[in-house]
Amino acid sequence: MEIEYLGIKMDVVFSFDRQESQTQDYAGSADSVEINEIKIKDLDVYDLFSSNQLTEIEDIIIKQFKYAHYE
């Protein structure tokens, strides 16, 4: 998926786990993303991001993914 973060366009390879609903015996879970690669012009830059930045990128992905697939 192509996203823009800090004004930079990048391609992110990720896996997406859809939320699970709460039941009487299970608290449920939120949508989650696991990032495998972040590429800018074919260069993998994943290791250059802090954990806070990766969380921000995951949030962007979740919002875009949900908008594209749930709506």
Side-chain angles (χ1 to χ4, degrees), residues 8-38:
I8 302 168
K9 290 185 180 183
M10 52 190 74
D11 289 311
V12 183
V13 177
F14 64 93
S15 59
F16 180 85
D17 290 320
R18 184 177 271 184
Q19 71 182 17
E20 294 179 356
S21 299
Q22 182 178 358
T23 66
Q24 187 174 7
D25 299 328
Y26 177 60
S29 66
D31 290 328
S32 65
V33 167
E34 182 178 336
I35 298 173
N36 301 70
E37 295 179 334
I38 300 174

Side-chain angles (χ1 to χ4, degrees), residues 9-66:
K9 290 185 180 183
M10 52 190 74
D11 289 311
V12 183
V13 177
F14 64 93
S15 59
F16 180 85
D17 290 320
R18 184 177 271 184
Q19 71 182 17
E20 294 179 356
S21 299
Q22 182 178 358
T23 66
Q24 187 174 7
D25 299 328
Y26 177 60
S29 66
D31 290 328
S32 65
V33 167
E34 182 178 336
I35 298 173
N36 301 70
E37 295 179 334
I38 300 174
K39 289 190 171 186
I40 300 173
K41 296 188 179 190
D42 296 326
L43 179 64
D44 190 354
V45 294
Y46 177 90
D47 292 332
L48 300 178
F49 293 98
S50 70
S51 61
N52 288 340
Q53 290 173 316
L54 291 171
T55 299
E56 291 174 357
I57 293 169
E58 289 169 356
D59 291 342
I60 292 168
I61 292 168
I62 288 171
K63 287 177 187 171
Q64 286 187 7
F65 193 83
K66 285 177 71 169

